[in-house]
Amino acid sequence: MLVILGFAMIAVFMVLIMTKKLTPVLALIIVPTVFGLFAGAGLGIGDMVMDSMKSMTSTAALLMFAIIYFGLMIDVGLFDPLVKFILRKLGNDPAKVVLGTAILAAAVSLDGDGSTTFILTTAAMLPVYLRLKMSPVVLTCVAGLANGTMNILPWGGPTARAATALKIDVNDVFVPMIPSLVAGLVVVFAFSWLLGLQERNRLRATAPEIWGVPDTAEEFDGGTSTGASGTGASRTGAFGSGRRKGGNPGGAAPAGGSVAVLDRTETLVDEHDSAMADTALDPNRSTLRPKLFWFNLALTVAVMVVLVANIIPLPFVFMVGAAIALLVNFPKVKDQGAQLIAHAPSIVAVVSMVMAAAVLTGVLKGTGMVEAMSAWLVQIIPTSMGPFMAVITGVLSIPMTFFMSNDAFYFGVLPVLSETAAHYGVGAADMARASITGQPFHLQSPLVPAILLLVSLAKVDLGDHHKKVLWRTAVISLVMLGVGMLTGAIGIG
């Protein structure tokens, strides 16, 4: 009976979330409460939930103060110079533009919020893509690859969910996976460069009157680049304005050639950064603190170093970091309160979800559902496959997190798989690490609001986005899983 109730509870939970009948927070509270009472929990269900909630307070604190910290750093302009640097150094070579998009998306993904990443990346790069007649699908693909890979950061959500569901320290999940994260980013940048080269070749073939037919970028010299401001893009040089080497002065195309050129005054970013107006990178926003840039950079580097060194609990690191950042950047109490209020919606959404998860995990464990379900799975899984449960979980996480929400997978499925794996000597930390390797693929799911925001902002069809991004994210997920196995982060029982 417990097995049936357990799987039925998970199924109802998944259906209600995926059909959007209930928000994740409500589903996490209501569904397990009802099924827990059917399982005979009675008034003891309250103690089950409170015992489970005690183990989640540190995760909630981590998410809360990490969101405050990185949201604050975006507000005060820490990332603005990086955005401007990338745009000014790209030139108008499609390969460099696409690679720059990946670097920008990865950097902004440090705040752990996909929506923020896609808003900033699209605001900065879409004018460039349209200006150069590049495909916006490439932009959404690269942004999705970078953000999906960075989504395993502790404050991004999935890693915290995995740690919360299995009641282990989030540091034990993330830190050993840093080599996998680095390997995933390397693959992201490689895919981005190749996509950029494809765009370069496509533009040469489809619009020779605009892009010309140089064999290499070196055939052009000098000049600035096209931009989000200025006049139309009907006459742009392929990889830079100015003139073709050996060509006529002033950039005129040589006789018999089809290369048009660009006015030297046109740039990707104008001196007033007008393309960023009314975005989170608005150069005139009141929260900018340019005089404190070096302080904020040093503080962020210090926070990252302490995080990787794992010498102080992560929640306390971000609590102190956020407090210092607020105090220095906004010394007035009124401004400090305004900053906290500005990021309150993100904080409430994430922290309430973590605390509500205590109901589901508490009922699963307190009623004995997890033990009963894992015992049943042990009976049907071939003994020879048992020691490979972590690897199996990593592979399963790719499709399962695509067709269901992270809440459903990490709070409903992972605890059962982990309990089963324990019978074969596979630790909970190994299972948690393996489970987050499917995140690059998960982030492309239509169940993820952020990806819907991305394709909407870029005016891209979701189907076109999936055709270009899904197999690449599957490769990245498998690479991260493989590196985790090679480094011992994901073990075999």
Side-chain angles (χ1 to χ4, degrees), residues 82-411:
L82 174 62
V83 172
K84 295 175 184 178
F85 175 81
I86 291 174
L87 294 181
R88 294 184 190 280
K89 296 298 181 182
L90 289 179
N92 56 344
D93 179 356
K96 293 179 180 179
V97 170
V98 178
L99 181 60
T101 304
I103 295 173
L104 175 61
V108 181
S109 292
L110 283 170
D111 78 335
D113 180 43
S115 297
T116 300
T117 298
F118 294 147
I119 290 171
L120 293 183
T121 303
T122 306
M125 300 306 300
L126 184 60
V128 179
Y129 278 70
L130 298 178
R131 179 80 168 146
L132 302 181
K133 296 190 180 297
M134 295 171 60
S135 171
V137 180
V138 176
L139 187 158
T140 64
C141 175
V142 170
L145 292 176
N147 184 249
T149 304
M150 293 290 286
N151 202 45
I152 73 167
L153 292 171
W155 52 89
T159 301
R161 285 179 173 90
T164 299
L166 301 185
K167 294 182 173 59
I168 55 180
D169 192 293
V170 70
N171 290 354
D172 294 336
V173 180
F174 174 68
V175 175
M177 289 298 289
I178 291 177
S180 291
L181 175 60
V182 173
L185 287 175
V186 169
V187 178
V188 169
F189 296 146
F191 276 140
S192 300
W193 182 254
L194 293 174
L195 282 168
L197 293 179
Q198 291 176 8
E199 275 297 278
R200 178 195 291 176
N201 294 331
R202 180 187 68 81
L203 290 167
R204 286 176 179 172
T206 59
E209 76 283 359
I210 296 176
W211 290 89
V213 289
D215 293 327
T216 64
E218 286 72 22
E219 291 188 37
F220 286 88
D221 68 333
T224 55
S225 50
T226 60
S229 60
T231 58
S234 60
R235 289 293 183 269
T236 60
F239 306 104
S241 60
R243 63 183 182 278
R244 194 170 184 172
K245 289 185 178 179
N248 299 330
S258 59
V259 180
V261 295
L262 183 69
D263 189 317
R264 291 178 183 272
T265 63
E266 297 179 29
T267 59
L268 286 173
V269 182
D270 65 14
E271 61 178 337
H272 300 295
D273 299 310
S274 58
M276 305 302 171
D278 299 322
T279 73
L281 293 177
D282 191 328
N284 298 314
R285 61 189 187 275
S286 61
T287 56
L288 283 177
R289 298 293 186 270
K291 295 182 179 179
L292 294 173
F293 173 80
W294 292 110
F295 169 81
N296 289 320
L297 178 61
L299 179 61
T300 301
V301 170
V303 168
M304 292 296 102
V305 170
V306 175
L307 182 154
V308 174
N310 195 21
I311 56 178
I312 301 176
L314 260 64
F316 186 61
V317 172
F318 279 108
M319 288 174 74
V320 174
I324 295 174
L326 273 171
L327 182 62
V328 174
N329 287 278
F330 300 94
K332 295 182 179 180
V333 175
K334 180 180 178 180
D335 293 336
Q336 294 169 7
Q339 277 298 300
L340 292 175
I341 292 173
H343 301 290
S346 298
I347 295 170
V348 171
V350 174
V351 174
S352 62
M353 180 274 299
V354 172
M355 303 311 292
V359 181
L360 180 60
T361 57
V363 169
L364 277 171
K365 183 176 181 180
T367 59
M369 288 183 187
V370 168
E371 290 80 0
M373 295 162 71
S374 64
W376 180 78
L377 285 174
V378 167
Q379 294 176 3
I380 66 171
I381 294 178
T383 304
S384 59
M385 298 297 292
F388 299 94
M389 279 299 297
V391 179
I392 293 172
T393 298
V395 175
L396 288 177
S397 71
I398 297 175
M400 292 186 75
T401 57
F402 184 83
F403 293 110
M404 66 177 67
S405 69
N406 273 339
D407 302 300
F409 179 74
Y410 288 106
F411 296 125

